[in-house]
Amino acid sequence: MKSQKGITLISLTVYIIVMTIVVGTVSLISSHFYTNIRDSVNTVEPLTQYTKLNSFITEEINRPNIKVLECKTTYIDNDQTKGIETSYIVFDNGTQYTFISKNQGIYRNKAKIAEQIKSCSFTQNIENAKTKITINVQAEKKNFNKTQDYIIKN
């Protein structure tokens, strides 16, 4: 008898079925993995933008003898229900932080430091001979809303 080399039709069918199951399982696992990564990026992105803004403002506040020259929020047609048009704060060292709703960004002088921002407002109050600055930031994604108070010791 001659030796029979090769594969039978039954073994080929079994190989194809096993490979289909393995590829299907790997694709299912990878699709869940990439979905979770995309969801985590959508959660982290607004926090990243806020953290950048927070680091710049904190650096500004901690400068010696810093003072706020002007802090203002301007609404479209003076109607707060239509949204913020611009909001800005100017320090005595010449640094200005500006939010422009049309561009959905926060700028430090002319450099964009945060993007995809839905709204941002800067307010200034004087309490106990200390200047208190409040910044409220809302991002586009995940209904991110953060309010932070900063104290400048005069």
Side-chain angles (χ1 to χ4, degrees):
M1 237 162 85
K2 295 181 177 180
S3 85
Q4 295 189 8
K5 296 179 181 178
I7 56 171
T8 64
L9 189 57
I10 293 174
S11 64
L12 180 62
T13 305
V14 169
Y15 290 145
I16 290 174
I17 290 171
V18 169
M19 289 302 291
T20 303
I21 291 171
V22 168
V23 168
T25 304
V26 168
S27 68
L28 183 66
I29 291 171
S30 67
S31 87
H32 285 296
F33 174 76
Y34 286 113
T35 300
N36 289 339
I37 293 295
R38 186 175 46 252
D39 288 345
S40 71
V41 165
N42 287 341
T43 303
V44 171
E45 183 62 27
L47 186 59
T48 304
Q49 300 299 319
Y50 174 75
T51 303
K52 283 195 298 187
L53 172 65
N54 189 30
S55 67
F56 279 110
I57 294 289
T58 302
E59 179 183 340
E60 208 68 50
I61 298 295
N62 288 329
R63 294 180 192 267
N65 300 321
I66 193 77
K67 291 186 174 41
V68 176
L69 294 180
E70 189 174 7
C71 183
K72 189 172 184 181
T73 300
T74 306
Y75 296 94
I76 297 173
D77 297 329
N78 292 327
D79 183 6
Q80 293 184 8
T81 60
K82 291 189 178 183
I84 296 173
E85 182 180 31
T86 59
S87 184
Y88 63 91
I89 185 168
V90 182
F91 294 96
D92 65 349
N93 64 354
T95 305
Q96 177 174 340
Y97 294 89
T98 308
F99 167 71
I100 302 173
S101 62
K102 181 179 177 183
N103 300 342
Q104 292 187 336
I106 299 174
Y107 296 83
R108 181 177 189 248
N109 295 331
K110 293 184 180 182
K112 193 173 200 177
I113 59 170
E115 55 191 1
Q116 298 177 358
I117 304 297
K118 186 176 174 181
S119 72
C120 177
S121 62
F122 301 100
T123 55
Q124 172 189 7
N125 294 322
I126 297 178
E127 297 176 1
N128 300 330
K130 296 178 183 175
T131 303
K132 176 181 167 186
I133 298 170
T134 303
I135 299 175
N136 185 356
V137 177
Q138 292 179 339
E140 284 290 319
K141 296 181 182 177
K142 298 285 184 183
N143 296 323
F144 182 85
N145 187 7
K146 195 81 167 162
T147 302
Q148 182 70 43
D149 292 330
Y150 303 91
I151 304 293
I152 300 176
K153 299 175 184 172
N154 295 335

